[in-house]
Each structure stands twice: as C-alpha cells, then as structure tokens.
Amino acid sequence: MREPYDRPEYRWSEWHTEPASDSFDRERTGRKLQLYMEVSGIRPRDIQNYLSLSCVQTVYRWMRGINIPTIDNLYAMSRLFHVRMDDLVGSNPDFFYDREKVEQVERLMAAEELREKGAA
C-alpha cells in the first residue's frame, strides 16, 4: 500500500497530510471575487476583457464557486484589484502556514538582491 503523501491528491508536510482539495473553498473564493469587484466598481465583462477570456461565463462560474481561476488569472486579478493573491482565494483557515519559512525566504531574497546591486 502506498503512503498517503505518495498520492497526487495529497500534499505532505511533516505535521500532517490533507487532501489538496481541502485547501481551497470555491464558494468563498467566488464570494470574495464578487466583493472585490463590487468595492472596485469592476464588472464581469471588465475582467473578461482584462484577462482576454473568450466568454464572460468563465467569470460568472468563478463568482458562483463552480470553478476556480487558474494561478495566472488569480495573479492578474490581484494586480487589477491591488491586493495579494492570498486575499482573493478563500482558503481553509486551518491550513498550515509556516510564517518562519516565509520570512526566511524573504531574507534570502533580500540578500540576493543586495548582492546583485553590489555586483552591478
């Protein structure tokens, strides 16, 4: 029998294993998208044009929680609304978040940028 973390629908961490589908709440993501659109005065057709989508129904499916935007569309919409991608995605609040690891990566990125500036 295969271990749970060997299955593609699971991701593994040293603390727990959970189905990847549990980390996104499609309905919550759709509702957040609706609210950001309302606050920003942006209509579904505006998003369709901004993302060069073939039909506006894609946006409506996101808003209803039927589908979830791809990562490139989430990124583009985060730029459109001037928010972080995480702010657009309705994720499971119990999802594990390793702030220390994020801060470590940010420090390493800053150090690399300083080295690049010093070398230029």
Side-chain angles (χ1 to χ4, degrees):
M1 182 174 163
R2 294 168 52 180
E3 294 294 321
Y5 50 83
D6 289 336
R7 296 173 49 198
E9 68 269 21
Y10 284 85
R11 84 177 140 263
W12 182 84
S13 76
E14 53 192 77
W15 291 278
H16 67 281
T17 303
E18 65 181 22
S21 60
D22 287 350
S23 61
F24 290 109
D25 183 339
R26 291 176 189 216
E27 290 178 10
R28 185 172 166 83
T29 299
R31 183 63 185 139
K32 284 180 141 187
L33 179 57
Q34 289 175 20
L35 292 173
Y36 278 114
M37 290 170 62
E38 185 179 311
V39 168
S40 303
I42 295 175
R43 298 170 302 155
R45 180 93 41 203
D46 298 330
I47 292 179
Q48 175 198 5
N49 294 333
Y50 182 74
L51 299 176
S52 301
L53 299 172
S54 59
C55 67
V56 74
Q57 287 303 316
T58 303
V59 180
Y60 285 114
R61 286 185 191 110
W62 295 340
M63 292 168 60
R64 284 188 230 119
I66 296 169
N67 293 335
I68 195 161
T70 60
I71 193 162
D72 54 333
N73 287 332
L74 282 171
Y75 178 75
M77 286 189 291
S78 73
R79 304 279 297 194
L80 178 65
F81 295 129
H82 303 285
V83 297
R84 298 175 305 148
M85 280 178 37
D86 286 350
D87 296 329
L88 285 175
V89 177
S91 60
N92 182 345
D94 297 329
F95 181 72
F96 178 74
Y97 180 69
D98 189 346
R99 181 169 297 283
E100 183 178 321
K101 190 181 296 179
V102 171
E103 290 171 357
Q104 181 181 5
V105 168
E106 288 175 357
R107 285 192 301 271
L108 291 171
M109 292 289 292
E112 284 180 11
E113 289 172 5
L114 285 175
R115 278 195 296 273
E116 288 174 7
K117 286 180 184 176

